[in-house]
Amino acid sequence: MNGGSEKETGGMAREIWVPLRCRDLQPEALKQIGLLLERIPELPVSVQRVIQMASDPDSDSKEIAEIVSVDPVLVSHILMMVNSSYYGLSRKIDNLRLAIVLLGFNEVRNIALRCGLAKIMDRFGGSTPDTRRLWEHSYLVSLCAEFLAGEDDSQRGGVVLTLGMLHDIGKFALYTIGMMMQQKGIRPNRSGDIPRDAELLQKEEHLFGANHALIGGMLAERWNLSARIRTTLECHHHPSFFGVTEIPSEYLEDVAVVCIADLMVNRAARPDSPVKAPHQIFYDVIGLDPELDLTIPQSVMEKFELFRGMVG
């Protein structure tokens, strides 16, 4: 089954490709994908708790410090970040609770996410050029999403940071599934022809029977992440193919922000990027002019370069 659909044009039907959604998959396909995703480890409990608590405005630094303190890798990354030149502090910080206060809950949550995902990646071959590019792309999308969300609501900014960081986790899952298939001598499906200029999602469906956005949503559900995260991961490419009625209204702004942030990063990396832009109405949803220059701000790039140095 593919994501194609027919549309009448001047009395003739032509094939218009659209990506698969969960509701488009047959039960057997859903079951098979679910079995493959069971091979991918859970997010560490400490990471899940930090994500939840950093999203709660009633949490305090002491509670988060108690959770973080049991994970030495997470502690080291928080201290490394707060003592970096980016923050320009006059003295070194070795007090974890103070470091959390100085960084802010949003940054601590992102560090926790990076550490948790890195542990999972290490189980499947560690860092490779492909996974490093995925890290860098995801983090830059998260920073651009935070920028697009604005500075008026720091809690919302923290949520879109998380959404941006996780938006392409389905790509990692497909990469992992591909490695499992290779180890078992199973070849991806290559039957039939696929256009050279096909969308990435279309190529993924051709090879694996599902695309990374759909897989990301299913993985988020397996990790027991919120409906907000699950929906945004599955739908983050939908603004380029569907109308607003195809996306749950309560998550419309999140999906639009992540989709446009993803476009910004792809075009920055490759000005002639074939990534399809979202329909104009999705710019309206977040109050953006479609003709606006979506160049990544210098302040965002400075923070991104700090991240590259840390993960290097």
Side-chain angles (χ1 to χ4, degrees), residues 19-205:
L20 285 169
R21 293 157 289 182
C22 267
R23 67 176 187 238
D24 299 322
L25 291 176
Q26 298 297 327
E28 183 59 30
L30 277 171
K31 180 181 177 181
Q32 299 227 351
I33 293 170
L35 290 173
L36 288 169
L37 292 182
E38 285 180 5
R39 299 283 303 278
I40 297 177
E42 297 277 356
L43 275 176
V45 174
S46 60
V47 175
Q48 292 185 40
R49 291 187 65 193
V50 168
I51 292 171
Q52 292 166 355
M53 293 189 69
S55 304
D56 182 354
D58 295 327
S59 297
D60 62 37
S61 58
K62 182 180 179 181
E63 291 175 298
I64 293 182
E66 288 175 353
I67 297 171
V68 167
S69 63
V70 303
D71 190 329
V73 174
L74 190 48
V75 171
S76 67
H77 275 75
I78 288 172
L79 294 177
M80 189 189 309
M81 175 67 85
V82 79
N83 287 307
S84 69
S85 59
Y86 180 83
Y87 288 92
L89 299 179
S90 58
R91 63 186 177 88
K92 291 294 182 182
I93 303 296
D94 56 12
N95 181 312
L96 178 61
R97 186 175 173 186
L98 177 58
I100 291 170
V101 170
L102 291 171
L103 289 174
F105 289 176
N106 290 343
E107 188 60 50
V108 171
R109 175 170 45 189
N110 245 13
I111 294 171
L113 264 176
R114 293 200 300 268
C115 290
L117 294 176
K119 287 179 181 178
I120 292 173
M121 288 184 180
D122 285 343
R123 291 278 299 274
F124 290 96
S127 179
T128 68
D130 286 338
T131 56
R132 183 182 174 89
R133 279 193 293 270
L134 174 58
W135 270 118
E136 293 181 354
H137 173 82
S138 297
Y139 189 60
L140 189 49
V141 168
S142 75
L143 295 178
C144 288
E146 181 188 36
F147 168 76
L148 291 174
E151 301 177 352
D152 296 338
D153 186 342
S154 62
Q155 188 180 359
R156 171 164 165 71
V159 172
V160 298
L161 271 170
T162 301
L163 296 174
M165 197 70 195
L166 288 172
H167 81 287
D168 267 351
I169 193 63
K171 286 184 179 178
F172 164 69
L174 283 180
Y175 170 78
T176 305
I177 289 170
M179 288 183 63
M180 287 190 246
M181 292 171 68
Q182 187 177 36
Q183 290 168 1
K184 293 186 175 184
I186 303 171
R187 293 188 177 185
N189 171 39
R190 296 181 184 275
S191 61
D193 295 327
I194 186 168
R196 183 174 296 180
D197 60 348
E199 297 279 345
L200 171 63
L201 301 175
Q202 187 175 2
K203 293 176 181 177
E204 291 170 346
E205 291 178 13

Side-chain angles (χ1 to χ4, degrees), residues 191-253:
S191 61
D193 295 327
I194 186 168
R196 183 174 296 180
D197 60 348
E199 297 279 345
L200 171 63
L201 301 175
Q202 187 175 2
K203 293 176 181 177
E204 291 170 346
E205 291 178 13
H206 182 71
L207 292 173
F208 301 104
N211 61 65
H212 73 268
L214 188 157
I215 292 288
M218 293 179 67
L219 188 58
E221 183 172 16
R222 180 175 176 271
W223 284 346
N224 202 30
L225 300 179
S226 69
R228 186 176 189 177
I229 293 176
R230 295 198 304 268
T231 302
T232 304
L233 266 55
E234 181 184 346
C235 298
H236 74 272
H237 283 295
H238 287 189
S240 302
F241 300 94
F242 304 107
V244 292
T245 57
E246 293 295 314
I247 299 168
S249 58
E250 63 267 42
Y251 308 125
L252 196 55
E253 288 188 33

